[in-house]
Each structure stands twice: as structure tokens, then as C-alpha cells.
Amino acid sequence: LDQIIDIMNRYPDYKLRINGHTDSIGSSRTNQTLSESRAKACYDYLVSKGISASRMSYRGFGESPPIADNRYKAGRDQNRRVEFDLYLE
């Protein structure tokens, strides 16, 4: 996250989308809530470090799309993630 702060400070015209994801363990509803909380935690941290909330958005995607096989622990570990998308408007 501190690297994201550095990038956002160096490029003030950039905006950031924060996308939270989960593995497939648990209910879809619980995973949706968890992914939203995961993304919001990153958003809140960045705001606390001085990044303007108007430059960021966050969203939870629940258990989709997986990037690895949820049948195995290693895959589930990879699917529990936050992705950052920097862009210019």
C-alpha cells in the first residue's frame, strides 16, 4: 500500500480503483461482504495517509473471478486478494 501512496503522490492526475476478492469458502453473501470490507480497508488506509477520497473508489467482487483453483489451499490463498487499477480520466 505504501508503494501505491508513492505512485499516487507522484502522479496527481491518476485515479485508483480498489477491487477486493475472496476464495470460494463460505457463502456467496459472506464472501461479497468480506471482499467489500477488504477493499474498503485499503481505501481507508490510503485516505488516512493523505490520498484524496475523490481520487479513489473501491468495490468487492466476492469470489469471482478466481485467478487460481479454489480446490487447493495455494489457489485459495491467491484468490484472497486486492487488486489496484490506476487510470487517467
Side-chain angles (χ1 to χ4, degrees):
L1 288 176
D2 291 333
Q3 290 175 340
I4 296 291
I5 292 166
D6 183 50
I7 291 167
M8 295 293 284
N9 285 332
R10 281 190 284 143
Y11 301 97
D13 293 336
Y14 276 74
K15 295 196 175 201
L16 178 68
R17 289 185 197 102
I18 305 167
N19 303 318
H21 300 272
T22 66
D23 61 26
S24 63
I25 303 299
S27 73
S28 293
R29 180 177 295 186
T30 299
N31 286 335
Q32 181 62 38
T33 301
L34 176 59
S35 68
E36 290 168 6
S37 296
R38 183 170 282 147
K40 186 173 186 319
C42 294
Y43 171 90
D44 289 343
Y45 178 79
L46 295 171
V47 168
S48 78
K49 296 297 182 178
I51 304 301
S52 173
S54 67
R55 296 178 62 202
M56 299 183 292
S57 63
Y58 66 91
R59 182 172 168 194
F61 287 89
E63 50 198 66
S64 67
I67 58 170
D69 193 332
N70 275 304
R71 291 179 295 175
Y72 305 102
K73 182 184 181 318
R76 291 189 301 271
D77 289 348
Q78 290 179 48
N79 288 329
R80 291 187 299 267
R81 68 194 187 280
V82 175
E83 296 173 335
F84 300 95
D85 180 24
L86 286 166
Y87 65 97
L88 285 169
E89 272 191 327

